[in-house]
Amino acid sequence: MFDVLIIGGGVSGVSCALVLGSAHKKAFAQDKKIGIITHQKTSSLQEALFNNAYGIPAGKLGSELLTESLEQLQNLYPHVEQIENEKVLKIEGDSPNFNVITNKSSYQTKNIVVGIGSANTFAIEGLMHYVEPHKKAIAEKQRIQLKNDDHKVTEGIYVSGTLAGHRSQLAIAAGSGAAVATDILTLWNDGISSQAHDSIRK
């Protein structure tokens, strides 16, 4: 049983995983089981080139970021389980007992973060009744989002990135994933606001 299972290995999903992973020394997070289904095939980063993203060298390819971010997650926070080459087909159950079914297996989790793109090919059974037209995308692109209140779709299910209704911008997606992570950390900390970041100060 995962405490949280993240769906999507793009910007918002990995950002969420990095923040959650970095909190492992906090008493309220140290025993939590975190997983991420790292499917990246349809990520918009596959064809991206970055010259205007804060903290990223000009000319960086999105395809490089996809690979490097998962390597960073593995090297720094190996306790976050990466599930490769699986695509989520269906979500069953209610909080805190969800069953996430992929094309190869199934996983039990208390919380879910959906961090995949906003293409209208979205087809995860169990979430389709939350789908609505994207409020910030050009209508002709027929993008979709999941109905949510500040990233929360329903009890135990969160959405991040463009699928949460944000515009397609790397910094926005990364911040969205981090925001969801801090909401989950706060949940684990009995509702006391919490976040995780490193410092050069001892």
Side-chain angles (χ1 to χ4, degrees):
M1 169 73 79
F2 287 101
D3 289 282
V4 59
L5 182 59
I6 302 163
I7 301 171
V11 180
S12 71
V14 178
S15 176
C16 184
L18 286 166
V19 174
L20 289 174
S22 69
H24 66 287
K25 292 183 180 179
K26 294 181 180 289
F28 60 81
Q30 61 185 4
D31 295 324
K32 300 299 185 185
K33 187 175 180 184
I34 305 163
I36 178 170
I37 296 175
T38 59
H39 184 73
Q40 297 179 331
K41 188 176 180 181
T42 57
S43 173
S44 58
L45 260 66
Q46 296 287 2
E47 298 178 349
L49 169 67
F50 292 101
N51 291 316
N52 65 349
Y54 180 81
I56 297 176
K60 172 66 75 173
L61 296 176
S63 57
E64 294 173 331
L65 281 180
L66 286 170
T67 301
E68 293 168 3
S69 64
L70 291 179
E71 290 174 351
Q72 179 183 348
L73 181 63
Q74 176 60 41
N75 292 335
L76 291 177
Y77 312 118
H79 58 284
V80 176
E81 183 177 339
Q82 294 190 32
I83 302 167
E84 301 177 347
N85 302 317
E86 294 189 32
K87 185 175 182 179
V88 174
L89 304 177
K90 185 177 183 180
I91 292 174
E92 298 176 328
D94 298 294
S95 175
N97 295 297
F98 294 105
N99 187 35
V100 176
I101 301 169
T102 75
N103 58 325
K104 294 182 180 180
S105 188
S106 64
Y107 305 92
Q108 286 66 51
T109 183
K110 296 177 182 177
N111 295 283
I112 296 169
V113 178
V114 186
I116 59 180
S118 57
N120 62 5
T121 53
F122 181 91
I124 298 179
E125 188 178 342
L127 294 180
M128 298 307 295
H129 58 291
Y130 295 113
V131 171
E132 62 182 8
H134 199 290
K135 295 177 181 177
K136 294 184 178 179
I138 298 171
E140 290 75 24
K141 291 190 175 183
Q142 297 183 318
R143 300 297 186 189
I144 57 97
Q145 65 180 63
L146 298 186
K147 296 178 184 177
N148 68 93
D149 181 8
D150 191 21
H151 296 102
K152 189 172 185 178
V153 176
T154 189
E155 197 63 37
I157 300 180
Y158 302 83
V159 61
S160 62
T162 57
L163 195 62
H166 297 298
R167 291 188 175 90
S168 180
Q169 199 81 19
L170 183 139
I172 296 173
S176 173
V180 172
T182 57
D183 285 346
I184 291 172
L185 292 178
T186 297
L187 176 70
W188 290 347
N189 197 26
D190 295 324
I192 300 171
S193 184
S194 183
Q195 56 192 13
H197 49 72
D198 298 314
S199 173
I200 60 174
R201 294 185 296 177
K202 299 295 183 182

